[in-house]
Amino acid sequence: MARRSKTPELPDDFEEHILDTDIQQEMESSFLEYAYSVIYSRALPDARDGLKPVQRRILYTMNDMRLLPDRGHVKSARVVGEVMGRLHPHGDSAIYDAMVRMAQPWSMRVPFIDGHGNFGSPDDSPAAMRYTEARMAPAAVAMTGSIDEDTVDFRPNYDSRELEPSVLPAAIPNLVVNGTTGIAVGMATNMAPHNLVEVVQALRHLIKSPRATLEDLMRFIPGPDLPTGGKIVGLSGIRDAYETGRGVFKMRATARIETIGRRKGIVVTELPYGVGTEKVMDRIKTQVQAKKLLGIADLKDLTDRENGLQLVIEVKNGFHPEALLEQLYKQTPMEDSFGVNNVALVDGQPRTMGLKEMLEVFLEHRFTVVRRRSVFRRGKAADRLHLLEGLLIAILDIDEVIALIRGSDSAEQARTRLMQVFDLSEPQAAYILEMQLRRLTRFSKLEVEKEAEDLRRTIEELDAILGDEAQLRRVVSDELAEVAKTYGTPRRTVLLESSGSDPKAAASPLEVADDPCFAFLGASGRVARTNSDEAVGTGGGRANHDVIVSAVRTTVRGEVGVLTSRGRVLRLGVLDLPALPASANDPNLQGGLPLQEMVALEGDERALALCSLATEGPGLALGTRQGVVKRVNPEVLNRDDWEVIRLADGDEVVGAVELTTGEETLCFVTAEAQLLQFGADAVRPQGRTGGGVAGIRLAAGDRVVFFGAFETSDPGDAGDAVLVTASGSSTALPGTEAGAVKVTPFSEYPPKGRATGGVRCHRFLKGEDTLVFAWAGVGPARATSDSGTPVELPDATGRRDGSGVPTSQPIAACAGPVAARLGGGDGPADPAPDAVEG
């Protein structure tokens, strides 16, 4: 039988209420709520920790799950589910996408997730979260450290059942270091990544000098440092971005021209940030099919895990690789633009910020975190000290305490009587009642007294931090230095004022006149040429981002040699070098190109100096790490590279120079601060297969850190030559310790015979046991750091065995005036380049 539906009966007093709403007002209200949600809860990062809400929730959840770097990986799906169930009211795909990005080294300068499995590539998407595993990277621990010490505020999650942090403690300046990108409603953000070490140096300078200008900060942060390396061409857009928060700069791929079989080829090893090989290859194929790119014979992607990015473009015979490379930059994503838009949340409001403002916001956050952490730790220490003081009272009268407890009818009565008889607080009495019998020994009493003394000392130190703003700033500065030392990496991106290309050479290199010119090698490994005597100047060698460590006279269509640490000479065409502007204002090789793009260096092989390929003259002088010296007869083979010294196992060349007279002074400096100088005529020249002779006698465990040569009237008269030494600890990581620097007139050191131990040249202070840097040559000396910023040297002192004075940052390279190394005068002269520190 069919069931008949019934309409429910309404009560007699029921009244229908219909609320009329204007559709325009409803749409505006709904849209604003949606816009606020996207801006504040999804798209824009907080300026303090540089994280979007989903990134912050991922790191906080993984910290709660104790997925630390020393633990095993867990499935990504487990992490995503935990984040979505507890904190994030959105879908799993948004969480996994954010998690994957934090694990990709080509997306973040300092990754926070240690991924295991297929986390994608610049061209391909990652595997599904059920197939990948993850845990926290070491840097993520620094972001969440001290979060359980009341350092940040917590707020309710989306269903008010749990609490989540409103911001992470963030010991790493993540906003500037890793950058970010996001599209909100009516606004967007796009920030470039930077080098952690450079950012920390700028932060520490800002702590010391709060009124520092943007120019002061840019001495430490000259520009972005992209995860994929490459080159940034043109620095004016960076200056605008640092000042106003908005700017544009161009990114270029890193490429070198090599011989591939019977053809020339272009090998691309680094691409612009955010550009993958598939995108470049597709664009090249499209342009070739459209007849807009000519001269390409083949295109291969040889990228692998061992060798990294290797995109090989073979050039047809009859086409100039330099000209084709310029066309590739113009017509493919091998050159791309990055638009900076520094928008982040400050005090809950979107704000466009310059570089200094971003650094100041982070520093204020760190001051707050350290202050709150100190208050929390002091409270914990005071509570513990309070209990120990009560325990000491009980141990002194232990018999009476035991009798009192045994005579009590209940624990409550015992606690009350302890408080009354011994004048204890309730926590102290409860702690005594819970005391174990093993704490009654004499040794335990000593342990309690020692712990109490340590706690008093800790409380005193924390009170000093809380009571002195200068001490608080020092703590933050020291913690930042430790972060840079632990997680910092060398710069990957090369900064260029201009493209460095020579239009005449790219269009028709054979028609370029074979004019005299100079070839330069910079401390950062960039090379360039110039035919301007003014560009050489008389005081060159100092620059904003580089110093010239080697110079040689040659011709535009000639060739020079590159002396390397493995005792090889590599042939280098001068025409391939970018031409510097004919201006004395640009002796700093900012228009140069990295040497790795010109020649193939093996493994950890380093370029030491340039030399001419002359078949006459006194030849070359080389010094090795094990104290061997060799003079090489001039000899040029018809090959692209050849060895000029036979090295022993474990040995390498630390300095190489081209002699001009054969009567120069040769100088060795060792890690144990021994200096030996003798005349070059004391070394008999050998053929290129010879292994050299003993140069300096080394003590057990000692090694040579510098070898060089310069011209003097006699070995005992060094003229204007100086010695620069920097001492430090052998246990410090290379390039992380500034050390104590000393500059001494070279004439203070007497010459000794070859194969002797030399004389002492530097006195070590407490905590120092080695020379971390040494250089000798014609002054005035100019020094630079790894980041390319100039390092101020102290005045020369006559104390040949004196100690150094602390400097602001480690010295990476040093050089004297370029003209002095070229012989001075009005035109090109025979080269006598300085050696590079080993």
Side-chain angles (χ1 to χ4, degrees), residues 560-793:
V560 296
V562 180
L563 294 162
T564 75
S565 58
R566 293 194 178 180
R568 298 197 301 160
V569 175
L570 309 178
R571 191 186 299 271
L572 178 63
V574 179
L575 185 61
D576 295 333
L577 305 182
L580 290 181
S583 169
N585 296 325
D586 190 13
N588 53 32
L589 298 189
Q590 290 188 38
L593 288 178
L595 182 63
Q596 290 84 346
E597 298 184 18
M598 305 293 181
V599 296
L601 299 178
E602 301 175 354
D604 57 353
E605 186 177 20
R606 308 184 318 278
L608 301 179
L610 302 179
C611 67
S612 68
L613 299 180
T615 57
E616 297 180 355
L620 308 174
L622 301 91
T624 75
R625 189 172 298 277
Q626 296 179 4
V628 174
V629 64
K630 180 183 179 182
R631 281 186 59 183
V632 187
N633 286 321
E635 181 181 4
V636 178
L637 302 182
N638 190 22
R639 296 206 302 261
D640 289 337
D641 65 88
W642 60 93
E643 294 183 353
V644 291
I645 184 173
R646 185 179 70 252
L647 294 172
D649 292 340
D651 201 4
E652 68 171 356
V653 179
V654 297
V657 294
E658 183 173 10
L659 304 177
T660 57
T661 64
E663 299 179 355
E664 286 87 351
T665 296
L666 304 183
C667 175
F668 279 95
V669 181
T670 75
E672 294 186 0
Q674 293 295 121
L675 180 146
L676 175 65
Q677 61 155 314
F678 53 87
D681 53 4
V683 182
R684 180 175 59 84
Q686 296 179 335
R688 64 181 185 85
T689 58
V693 296
I696 182 172
R697 186 176 68 248
L698 299 176
D702 198 4
R703 58 185 174 85
V704 174
V705 296
F706 171 82
F707 172 81
F710 43 90
E711 191 170 353
T712 60
S713 57
D714 62 76
D717 179 15
D720 296 330
V722 295
L723 172 70
V724 179
T725 51
S727 56
S729 172
S730 59
T731 60
L733 293 176
T736 60
E737 186 177 19
V741 179
K742 178 171 72 77
V743 179
T744 312
F746 198 79
S747 57
E748 295 290 329
Y749 302 97
K752 298 288 184 179
R754 181 180 62 82
T756 61
V759 296
R760 192 77 174 171
C761 64
H762 194 111
R763 179 166 56 89
F764 296 140
L765 299 178
K766 183 178 181 181
E768 301 173 349
D769 60 357
T770 187
L771 286 186
V772 297
F773 179 85
W775 176 87
V778 178
R782 312 296 189 189
T784 182
S785 66
D786 270 332
S787 62
T789 56
V791 178
E792 295 296 332
L793 296 176

Side-chain angles (χ1 to χ4, degrees), residues 277-550:
T277 54
E278 291 292 337
K279 185 177 180 181
V280 174
M281 293 178 68
D282 290 344
R283 184 62 175 171
I284 291 176
K285 293 175 182 178
T286 301
Q287 295 294 88
V288 170
Q289 292 172 358
K291 306 295 183 181
K292 294 182 179 180
L293 267 179
L294 304 177
I296 295 180
D298 197 5
L299 179 63
K300 300 176 183 178
D301 184 8
L302 304 181
T303 302
D304 56 33
R305 293 182 180 272
E306 181 178 353
N307 299 314
L309 177 64
Q310 294 282 329
L311 182 60
V312 180
I313 305 169
E314 292 189 16
V315 183
K316 293 181 180 178
N317 293 331
F319 288 83
H320 299 297
E322 297 84 358
L324 178 58
L325 182 58
E326 288 297 321
Q327 293 298 315
L328 289 171
Y329 285 142
K330 294 178 181 179
Q331 301 182 31
T332 72
M334 286 177 58
E335 180 174 281
D336 202 1
S337 296
F338 189 100
V340 178
N341 189 22
N342 296 332
V343 178
L345 298 176
V346 180
D347 297 329
Q349 299 296 322
R351 185 184 301 175
T352 303
M353 298 177 291
L355 176 64
K356 183 177 180 181
E357 189 174 1
M358 289 191 291
L359 298 179
E360 289 174 338
V361 171
F362 173 78
L363 285 180
E364 287 300 322
H365 174 57
R366 286 304 299 172
F367 292 150
T368 302
V369 166
V370 173
R371 189 180 295 110
R372 291 180 59 166
R373 184 186 66 192
S374 301
V375 171
F376 178 86
R377 291 179 178 178
R378 191 199 182 285
K380 285 288 187 181
D383 292 343
R384 177 64 179 169
L385 179 60
H386 182 64
L387 297 179
L388 293 181
E389 289 174 344
L391 182 59
L392 286 173
I393 293 175
I395 293 177
L396 291 176
D397 298 316
I398 191 62
D399 295 334
E400 186 177 352
V401 169
I402 293 174
L404 186 148
I405 295 174
R406 294 186 61 184
S408 301
D409 296 332
S410 64
E412 181 64 30
Q413 184 183 15
R415 182 168 60 251
T416 304
R417 294 178 65 187
L418 283 173
M419 294 169 59
Q420 294 174 348
V421 174
F422 295 101
D423 193 22
L424 301 175
S425 65
E426 184 174 350
Q428 288 175 325
Y431 185 68
I432 292 172
L433 289 175
E434 297 173 359
M435 180 177 62
Q436 298 174 335
L437 292 178
R438 61 184 177 85
R439 302 296 299 272
L440 303 180
T441 64
R442 182 185 305 172
F443 183 70
S444 295
K445 178 176 178 294
L446 296 176
E447 283 184 337
V448 171
E449 291 176 344
K450 183 179 183 303
E451 184 181 355
E453 184 61 30
D454 292 340
L455 288 172
R456 292 188 185 95
R457 192 179 304 110
T458 299
I459 292 174
E460 186 177 331
E461 294 174 355
L462 293 172
D463 285 338
I465 296 175
L466 294 172
D468 187 357
E469 185 70 18
Q471 179 67 14
L472 174 67
R473 301 174 77 89
R474 278 194 295 271
V475 170
V476 173
S477 179
D478 293 342
E479 290 182 355
L480 286 172
E482 186 63 27
V483 164
K485 181 178 179 180
T486 305
Y487 308 109
T489 54
R491 167 172 279 275
R492 299 174 185 171
T493 302
V494 177
L495 303 177
L496 302 175
E497 284 283 4
S498 62
S499 63
S501 61
D502 187 341
K504 294 188 296 181
S508 181
L510 295 179
E511 296 179 1
V512 177
D514 195 19
D515 295 329
C517 68
F518 302 98
F520 294 146
L521 171 66
S524 64
R526 291 199 293 268
V527 288
R529 61 179 170 87
T530 179
N531 57 1
S532 170
D533 298 340
E534 294 181 358
V536 176
T538 58
R542 179 177 181 175
N544 293 329
H545 304 296
D546 212 344
V547 296
I548 298 173
V549 295
S550 184

Side-chain angles (χ1 to χ4, degrees), residues 240-273:
D240 295 338
Y242 287 169
E243 183 175 11
T244 66
R246 295 178 183 270
V248 179
F249 59 84
K250 286 186 177 181
M251 305 174 292
R252 270 195 171 187
T254 298
R256 64 174 181 265
I257 297 174
E258 295 183 359
T259 300
I260 303 174
R262 297 182 179 180
R263 290 194 177 105
K264 289 287 186 178
I266 300 172
V267 181
V268 181
T269 57
E270 295 174 352
L271 288 174
Y273 182 48

